[in-house]
Amino acid sequence: MAELIIIPAIILGLIIGLYELFLIHKDENFSGSHWFGHGLHAAIWAIAATFAVMNVQFVYENLTFLQGIKYLDNQWIFRGAIGLITLIKVHSASAVVKTIVGSSKGLKETWAHSLIVVLLIYFSPEIWSLIGPLVNSYI
């Protein structure tokens, strides 16, 4: 059984979630918006996705339905699947927000913003290996 990485996944997930929260606040900062509710949803997903990416073997072994999906036992493909789900989730969540500006239907967050969030989650183990030594003394 693989070593379970909990605290680093939560810390990075919170950082990515806060980044998403700030962007959602910037995008949805209009009267009647529920930016905090949408941002909280994004932050929770960022923590869950980062946990899954940083604990691929643990997630794969404990969610047995994943074992029936071909090639998902490869950590890079598993991370890519989490990234694709995140990309769909970010765009779907922004599309359902109704704005009062113009006649747009939803915010339609930019692809660049969505890809930054996906890449931060996808490469979170590598990011942690860079910043972990700096943060470990404070944990």
Side-chain angles (χ1 to χ4, degrees):
M1 182 171 215
E3 178 186 346
L4 195 58
I5 303 170
I6 298 173
I7 301 297
I10 292 172
I11 291 171
L12 272 180
L14 279 172
I15 292 169
I16 296 168
L18 283 172
Y19 170 73
E20 183 78 13
L21 183 67
F22 291 139
L23 289 174
I24 288 173
H25 179 264
K26 185 185 83 150
D27 290 344
E28 289 189 36
N29 193 16
F30 56 86
S31 178
S33 72
H34 303 286
W35 69 268
F36 187 73
H38 295 123
L40 193 59
H41 172 265
I44 291 169
W45 173 259
I47 293 169
T50 304
F51 178 84
V53 166
M54 292 183 82
N55 295 288
V56 171
Q57 186 177 359
F58 175 80
V59 173
Y60 186 76
E61 288 174 358
N62 288 300
L63 298 178
T64 56
F65 69 91
L66 295 176
Q67 296 169 2
I69 303 173
K70 196 172 187 177
Y71 304 118
L72 208 54
D73 58 339
N74 182 318
Q75 76 158 334
W76 299 102
I77 294 174
F78 184 86
R79 289 164 126 186
I82 295 293
L84 182 62
I85 292 168
T86 300
L87 186 67
I88 292 168
K89 188 215 81 57
V90 167
H91 264 346
S92 299
S94 72
V96 299
V97 176
K98 291 183 177 36
T99 64
I100 58 172
V101 180
S103 61
S104 65
K105 184 156 180 127
L107 295 173
K108 307 290 188 206
E109 295 184 36
T110 64
W111 284 105
H113 166 228
S114 300
L115 287 174
I116 289 170
V117 171
V118 167
L119 290 173
L120 285 172
I121 290 172
Y122 186 88
F123 289 112
S124 58
E126 287 76 20
I127 293 170
W128 184 257
S129 69
L130 294 173
I131 68 170
L134 303 171
V135 183
N136 278 336
S137 61
Y138 299 107
I139 299 177

